Structures are given as structure tokens and as C-alpha cells.
Amino acid sequence: MTAELATLITYNPFSFTGDLPLAQVWTTMLQMGLDAVPVRDDSQNVAGIASHRQLCNRANDLGVAETVTLAACLTSTQHREANISPGEILDLLLTHDLPILPIVESERLVGVISRLDFLRELSFHELPSSGKLAVDTLHKIEDWHETDLDCDEAIAEQERSVNGVLCVGQGDMLIGVVSPKALNRAWSCWHFKRLMRRDPPADEPTSISKLARMAPTASPGASLGDIATIMLEENVDAVTVGNATRRVLGYVTALDLLQLIRNDI
């Protein structure tokens, strides 16, 4: 691999403690556009990770966010010492469906590695897979959902989909693809406003039609390194592939790229 483990790790990462109010953590995650953050105790020992999706799920289940602490919705995870290889870390992220993996030294949190760090490596156009074309990797779309879904309905459909994306159209016209990350942020904002009774700190559209029309698009001739760059810049984990006439041909997911990166390293 072109990067050593030390260049992948974010040292002294942003983290939470489990005693923080869920409402405060939720607000911060929306403000900063975070997918997951390590959670530690006062001694810097890793207690787990706070996943944006899990946090929103928990708040929704409880029907309240301001009287609950973060400890009520932690995702347990196996942290790793800094002597682990990049390939082993990527295997753990993919096998356990983790957005991030805390890195420890002597049981204390010292850093974190995320899926985004591996996508960034692909965006440098130095890995073998970075030169492959989107048109040779994309998933073709055979069916889609109408635009009148609300956020809860859209999340349910997205969870049932094969590749975790929501394909949206009107009648016999395919409009676009909503990535899991984009849909999760919309869903989170939707429930934040409902439960907190105030506007969310992030200005995210909650209209499924608008999300599909705003989704970033790449040309069929774009390289996978270019696709990775779009994902990083737009904070999405799926990119629509369309031709010059704006006809949607399919999509490429972050998981597709990560699996190819695993073969590269």
C-alpha cells in the first residue's frame, strides 16, 4: 500500500464521554457531519463508538433525547493496538460493518481510522484500482421508488435494498440515487426537529425528491479515484453514474471501492 499505518491514523481524535447528554452529542454530530465518534471514559479507555445512525435510532425509540446520556446508545467495538496492519484494519471495518476503528496504546485511546481514510488513499490515484472506470464497476438500476416517500419510509426501503442505496424516480423516469449517508443525515434532521422541537443545526433537505436530484453524479469514464474524491468532497457513500444527456446509468458505492482497495493492499 502507498501509505503506512501512521499516515492513515487520525491522532488525538475528537471523542465523547458516555455521560454526555444524547441531545448534545446529536447536535454536535449534525453540526460537524460526523458518522461515528469514539467514546471514552475519564482515563481515555475506549468504551465503544457513537454511531450517528444508532444514536438517532435510540432517540427515536425512546421518544426523547434531552434526558438520556450517550451511554444508552453505544456501539461496542474491538479496538486495536497501533501495530496492526492497514489490511487487517480494513478487514475489521468491512467484516463488522464499522464506520471507524479506535486505535489504542496500553488500552488508552490514541487515534482512529475510518473508511474515509482508505477512500482518501484511492483518491490519490496511486493504488492499482484507482484507474479503473466507473462504467466497469457500476450497479445497474432495474427498479426504483416514487418520490412521495417520507424519511422513515425511505430509511426502511434503504435498509431492505441490496446495496444500501435508495433509487428514486417518478413514474417510468429514474431521477437518481440517494446514498445511505445523505439519507441518514436527512432522517436525523427530520427526527431532530420532531423530538427537540427546534430546527436542526445542519441545513439538510428532507425531501426524498430533492435528495435524489441533488445527488452528485460522475461520468461513465470517471476513474474510481475520481469517484472516491467525489465521495470525500460531498460526504456521500454512493455516487450516481450518468451520461452527457443526464440519463442515469447506475451507481458506485463506497463498499465497492473498499473491497477493491482490500485487494490492492
Side-chain angles (χ1 to χ4, degrees), residues 90-91 94 128-129 132 256-265:
L90 186 51
D91 280 340
L94 295 176
S129 294
K132 292 183 177 181
D256 297 327
L257 302 188
L258 292 168
Q259 289 170 337
L260 288 169
I261 293 169
R262 184 62 191 97
N263 294 331
D264 287 342
I265 62 176

Side-chain angles (χ1 to χ4, degrees), residues 15 49 66 241:
S15 61
I49 64 174
E66 294 180 316
V241 178

